[in-house]
Amino acid sequence: MHSVHDYEITEYSMNFRTKKLTIEATLDDNSKKIIFTDVLAYEFSDEIPYSTILDIDKIDIQNFFKNNKELLESKKNSGWPVIYQTMEELEQKIQKEEVNYYILFSSYGMTGWILAQDITVKNN
């Protein structure tokens, strides 16, 4: 994957029909488009102007369940990220879909995570 270290996030968008999340980022005169495909869910915080990416890492999916246990339990009856009765059922559904857990680390500003099947970084 191309490095996105120190790139400033200029915008992001989620297309729910195509399940594609796109982050536009720039560094000096270079622009990159970070595209997550087959997105199941995502969560961002600290979304402010001049947010700067430190890195985007693919983390073992089991860490998603550990890191977000309270969130998943609180959303269980709302159908997010999918309909499930137990945490075990949710884990099985997510693993069956071969979803990856990506964490967006920042030097400044916006951080978060994305559950998606793939990531692509393109030069604009």
Side-chain angles (χ1 to χ4, degrees):
M1 183 167 90
H2 302 280
S3 175
V4 291
H5 178 72
D6 283 342
Y7 274 70
E8 177 190 329
I9 297 171
T10 56
E11 67 178 272
Y12 74 94
S13 63
M14 177 66 204
N15 184 317
F16 292 103
R17 290 188 179 179
T18 63
K19 299 181 182 180
K20 183 167 65 170
L21 178 103
T22 304
I23 298 174
E24 301 275 349
T26 61
L27 176 64
D28 300 323
D29 291 332
N30 300 313
S31 297
K32 293 193 180 191
K33 188 178 286 193
I34 306 159
I35 304 164
F36 296 90
T37 53
D38 292 314
V39 174
L40 178 64
Y42 66 95
E43 182 174 84
F44 296 128
S45 62
D46 304 324
E47 300 151 280
I48 57 174
Y50 310 107
S51 291
T52 304
I53 299 170
L54 179 64
D55 203 357
I56 299 175
D57 286 341
K58 180 178 169 183
I59 308 293
D60 184 276
I61 193 68
Q62 290 305 315
N63 288 316
F64 170 74
F65 300 107
K66 291 177 194 171
N67 296 345
N68 295 286
K69 186 175 182 174
E70 287 181 26
L71 174 64
L72 293 168
E73 288 177 357
S74 72
K75 298 286 188 175
K76 184 175 132 186
N77 295 324
S78 68
W80 182 92
V82 295
I83 296 171
Y84 61 98
Q85 299 301 315
T86 66
M87 290 297 286
E88 293 78 21
E89 180 184 357
L90 175 62
E91 287 184 41
Q92 289 174 356
K93 284 183 177 189
I94 288 176
Q95 289 173 349
K96 182 180 177 183
E97 295 292 322
E98 299 180 6
V99 172
N100 294 302
Y101 178 38
Y102 299 98
I103 297 184
L104 170 65
F105 296 99
S106 74
S107 302
Y108 175 79
M110 188 170 130
T111 63
W113 54 261
I114 303 98
L115 290 181
Q117 285 189 350
D118 201 16
I119 181 175
T120 305
V121 178
K122 296 181 177 180
N123 292 320
N124 281 350

